[in-house]
Amino acid sequence: MRLIWVILRKDWAEVFKNRFVMFTVAFLPLILTLLPIIGLAVGGNETDMGDLEELGSAFNLEGLCAGVTDAECLQIFIVSQYMMLFMLIPLIIPITIASYSIVGEKTTRTLEPVLATPISTFQLLIGKALAAAIPAIVATWLGYFIFVIGISIVSAGPIVVERILAPEWLLAVFVLGPLLSVAAVSVAVMVSSRANDPRVAEQLSMLLLLPLMGLFIAQVAGLVLVDAKLILWFALALVVIDAGLLGFATQLFERETILTRWK
Amino acid sequence: MKSVIETKDLTKKFGELTAVERLSISVKPGEVFGFLGPNGAGKTTTIRMLCALIKPTQGSARVAGYTLGSEDDKIRRNVGILTESPGLYDRLSAERNLDFFAQLYSIEDVAGKVAQYLKMLGLWDRRHEAVGTFSKGMRQKLAIARALLHEPDVLFLDEPTSGLDPEAARLVHDFLEGLKREGRTIFITTHNLDEADRLCDRIAVFNRELLALDTPSALKLQLYGRAVVFHLTQPGEQFVERVTAFSFVESAEASENRILVRLDDPEVQNPALVRALVEAGAEIQFVGEIRKSLEDVYLQLLTNENETLST
Ligand SMILES: Nc1ncnc2c1ncn2[C@@H]1O[C@H](COP(=O)(O)OP(=O)(O)OP(=O)(O)O)[C@@H](O)[C@H]1O
Ligand SMILES: [Mg+2]
């Protein structure tokens, strides 16, 4: 346990000296959090009936807007679109950190002396994984916290805030988020074992965003309704996927494999 | 005394390629053991096996009193390794680099140990600077210190002076001399034969398999015997027969005003030779011993190997 903490602290000390990593970790959540707040503050209060009717016919807003004013309905609609974008945070941050911390150590050949110490490769892997996942989860939760406060300030009515505190949001932020970050770390470990440039590793791992973006587009297009049930299924699937990915990553993370096959 | 490193038929294959073949050596406590071989000989592979970083394909070894394979964790605790590339974290300070490893080895007084080595290396004043700004020699010394933090029984050094300028190499040599005086067991690979000659108690010449193993002076003797050269005022040719008449002379050849004589014990045999030459009318200017460098021996060993391979 203590050794994991030692790895974690070292990784943070090192990787956060990199401006690009710092930028991703600090600014991405900030932008994704502030965008919907600003969006609502600027445009979300106009009740342009024409727009809403158009939306209504396209998206079947009845389910979403039963018993609320039109202004609130529009805001609920806008805000709900952002949930999937929010899920980018726990995916992108771990990929960035892990790519830099693993490929970085590979190119500078710093892993060999570490592997020569009594630390087990599993402890090392967990240390590196946590070093990547914890900032992502913290950033996601912190972002959500700011998001809730911001929305409650600019919203048309309390019902909008209630909606972003609904089970599907809580599930997404507190369950899906960590699960996504575990998947992101595992994929980044796998890709990093092959890549020789942290940027390449990062970009390759980002392919993991595609399913999420697909879901986002389907949601915007009105093809799927992202509700608590869907998120729960999604989370369940992720548990299985995470277990598989972690298994793979652990296998790649063997002393001999790292030294002889990570080229 | 028990040996600190003992290998038996240690073999490592990478697929078809055999990097190390049936290596059997034994290194005594306090010994500085040189491991010499050309590029690709399998030196790094051997060190990695002995540090429990990669698994041997065949054979067995005991390192620092523990069995490779079943007590790897204990081996890692009791050996220090300077890897082929120093592998320091450039963005972190010298202090942070050492601190990280001291913690990984779970040593007791982390801060004290780190301070001790930083002071010993003359890096105390620069301890907060990023290692990336250090010279190659400083980095190498820092990497050696890192390998020593947990006071290992055996120290493995993979090419400690490669890529260093003579001055930086000197820094490292002095450091190693100090460690040698402290009585540490050191296993060192190098391409620098003078370094091996000066530093090592015994030398293994190795190219996938062990070619020779002995003290530097014995190695030189074994391959070349000893030789004496006589400088005369007149051509040496006329005295060769007189010299070869002695049964202890292995060979004698003249070139211009010199005669080169191979024999096994010049301290005892030279006076008789000198007397005989003077009696035969030779006017001797100098008598000197021919010293072979370890480099000659090394190259000869590798040539011998190539010849046996091609026949
Ligand atoms: N991971 C690996 N996979 C395949 N072959 C390898 C691997 N590591 C080393 N080899 C091969 O094993 C042989 C020995 O390599 P090794 O690095 O041990 O040599 P070395 O004596 O340290 O050489 P150098 O003086 O260049 O450092 C070489 O032919 C090398 O190509
Ligand atoms: Mg080598």
Side-chain angles (χ1 to χ4, degrees):
Chain A
M1 204 47 226
R2 203 187 48 77
L3 290 184
I4 295 175
W5 176 234
V6 171
I7 294 286
L8 202 105
R9 282 211 333 264
K10 193 281 296 170
D11 264 14
W12 283 343
E14 211 202 356
V15 91
F16 289 135
K17 284 214 166 72
N18 185 313
R19 270 191 224 118
F20 184 73
V21 174
M22 242 354 249
F23 181 84
T24 308
V25 174
F27 280 81
L28 178 82
L30 215 61
I31 287 168
L32 286 180
T33 307
L34 294 183
L35 224 58
I37 298 175
I38 294 169
L40 280 205
V42 173
N45 273 324
E46 297 164 17
T47 359
D48 191 330
M49 288 314 296
D51 277 0
L52 203 58
E53 262 157 37
E54 254 173 55
L55 273 176
S57 57
F59 290 103
N60 180 20
L61 285 178
E62 274 108 63
L64 209 61
C65 295
V68 303
T69 70
D70 284 349
E72 287 165 344
C73 179
L74 183 62
Q75 289 198 342
I76 289 170
F77 176 72
I78 293 173
V79 166
S80 65
Q81 303 297 316
Y82 275 95
M83 188 200 286
M84 285 301 116
L85 280 187
F86 221 73
M87 291 297 102
L88 288 177
I89 303 173
L91 273 183
I92 292 177
I93 291 179
I95 288 174
T96 306
I97 296 180
S99 298
Y100 277 85
S101 90
I102 295 172
V103 181
E105 293 224 30
K106 196 161 89 167
T107 50
T108 52
R109 296 173 187 277
T110 42
L111 273 178
E112 186 170 357
V114 175
L115 291 171
T117 72
I119 193 171
S120 77
T121 47
F122 190 67
Q123 286 170 320
L124 181 59
L125 173 65
I126 295 298
K128 289 216 161 283
L130 289 179
I134 290 175
I137 295 170
V138 168
T140 309
W141 292 354
L142 208 67
Y144 178 65
F145 184 68
I146 297 171
F147 180 66
V148 170
I149 292 177
I151 294 294
S152 65
I153 293 169
V154 301
S155 69
I159 183 76
V160 182
V161 182
E162 245 169 64
R163 281 300 167 89
I164 58 170
L165 290 172
E168 64 259 32
W169 269 94
L170 297 181
L171 275 174
V173 171
F174 292 100
V175 177
L176 209 54
L179 286 173
L180 283 172
S181 67
V182 171
V185 168
S186 321
V187 169
V189 169
M190 283 182 243
V191 172
S192 299
S193 77
R194 287 275 138 205
N196 286 313
D197 182 333
R199 278 158 299 183
V200 174
E202 199 185 4
Q203 280 153 18
L204 278 177
S205 307
M206 291 289 181
L207 291 178
L208 196 62
L209 303 186
L210 287 180
L212 194 78
M213 295 310 283
L215 193 62
F216 173 68
I217 290 165
Q219 183 197 23
V220 173
L223 296 176
V224 292
L225 181 66
V226 178
D227 57 6
K229 215 168 110 195
L230 181 71
I231 290 176
L232 217 53
W233 279 116
F234 207 40
L236 222 59
L238 261 178
V239 170
V240 177
I241 293 171
D242 277 358
L245 290 177
L246 260 182
F248 266 126
T250 316
Q251 271 182 9
L252 277 176
F253 223 77
E254 279 293 305
R255 277 186 167 77
E256 177 141 6
T257 315
I258 292 172
L259 287 174
T260 60
R261 275 183 241 142
W262 284 28
K263 288 283 153 61
Chain B
M1 241 194 277
K2 277 205 88 168
S3 43
V4 182
I5 304 172
E6 177 115 42
T7 74
K8 189 157 185 308
D9 293 336
L10 203 64
T11 301
K12 180 71 186 178
K13 294 188 172 137
F14 294 108
E16 294 283 281
L17 182 129
T18 306
V20 176
E21 189 161 5
R22 300 175 75 88
L23 177 69
S24 300
I25 50 169
S26 125
V27 178
K28 288 175 259 177
E31 188 172 33
V32 177
F33 190 90
F35 205 55
L36 263 58
N39 289 124
K43 304 181 294 295
T44 301
T45 304
T46 303
I47 287 194
R48 283 180 168 176
M49 282 193 283
L50 294 178
C51 289
L53 283 165
I54 60 178
K55 291 187 186 68
T57 317
Q58 267 160 44
S60 61
R62 281 179 73 79
V63 181
Y66 300 103
T67 305
L68 196 65
S70 56
E71 295 172 302
D72 286 357
D73 194 59
K74 290 197 178 107
I75 290 180
R76 288 188 200 111
R77 259 172 231 287
N78 287 286
V79 304
I81 176 174
L82 170 74
T83 46
E84 202 162 13
S85 46
L88 297 161
Y89 296 100
D90 282 353
R91 290 172 192 275
L92 302 181
S93 69
E95 189 176 37
R96 192 71 182 78
N97 264 283
L98 291 188
D99 180 80
F100 174 54
F101 280 89
Q103 295 196 51
L104 284 182
Y105 281 109
S106 312
I107 69 172
E108 269 168 26
D109 177 18
V110 171
K113 242 325 176 262
V114 169
Q116 175 197 329
Y117 275 103
L118 283 172
K119 282 175 186 158
M120 188 168 139
L121 296 179
L123 282 175
W124 182 248
D125 294 331
R126 301 182 64 185
R127 65 187 181 281
H128 297 307
E129 288 174 38
V131 169
T133 63
F134 287 8
S135 75
K136 249 184 165 176
M138 289 328 286
R139 296 158 61 88
Q140 196 71 351
K141 284 209 304 183
L142 195 64
I144 298 174
R146 179 188 59 195
L148 285 168
L149 283 171
H150 56 299
E151 303 292 342
D153 296 337
V154 199
L155 186 61
F156 289 91
L157 303 172
D158 200 351
E159 300 187 25
T161 53
S162 85
L164 299 187
D165 69 25
E167 203 183 326
R170 177 76 173 273
L171 278 177
V172 171
H173 283 155
D174 291 346
F175 192 47
L176 295 183
E177 298 269 4
L179 296 178
K180 183 177 173 176
R181 277 194 299 275
E182 286 174 22
R184 293 185 196 260
T185 310
I186 303 179
F187 186 102
I188 181 173
T189 80
T190 177
H191 291 293
N192 181 336
L193 295 142
D194 284 338
E195 173 177 291
D197 202 355
R198 279 214 336 250
L199 231 48
C200 298
D201 299 314
R202 281 194 305 155
I203 288 175
V205 181
F206 175 82
N207 192 8
R208 205 195 59 207
E209 52 189 1
L210 193 62
L211 301 180
L213 169 61
D214 219 321
T215 61
S217 47
L219 269 182
K220 289 182 225 172
L221 221 112
Q222 185 183 319
L223 276 170
Y224 287 96
R226 293 176 75 182
V228 183
V229 63
F230 295 91
H231 291 258
L232 314 175
T233 56
Q234 66 263 63
E237 193 58 55
Q238 46 185 315
F239 304 105
V240 167
E241 236 172 85
R242 189 67 203 253
V243 171
T244 46
F246 287 96
S247 60
F248 57 76
V249 170
E250 286 161 20
S251 73
E253 50 195 287
S255 75
E256 295 177 5
N257 290 359
R258 292 189 301 267
I259 311 174
L260 179 77
V261 184
R262 289 186 192 281
L263 34 61
D264 53 11
D265 197 356
E267 284 80 3
V268 174
Q269 296 152 348
N270 268 356
L273 271 184
V274 173
R275 210 177 310 122
L277 282 169
V278 171
E279 277 168 11
E283 300 195 327
I284 301 174
Q285 289 176 317
F286 310 104
V287 184
E289 183 177 6
I290 305 270
R291 289 184 181 275
K292 283 285 174 187
S293 73
L294 192 63
E295 185 168 352
D296 299 321
V297 178
Y298 172 78
L299 293 174
Q300 186 63 47
L301 274 168
L302 293 179
T303 323
N304 290 352
E305 192 208 13
N306 283 338
E307 279 164 8
T308 41
L309 282 182
S310 57
T311 52

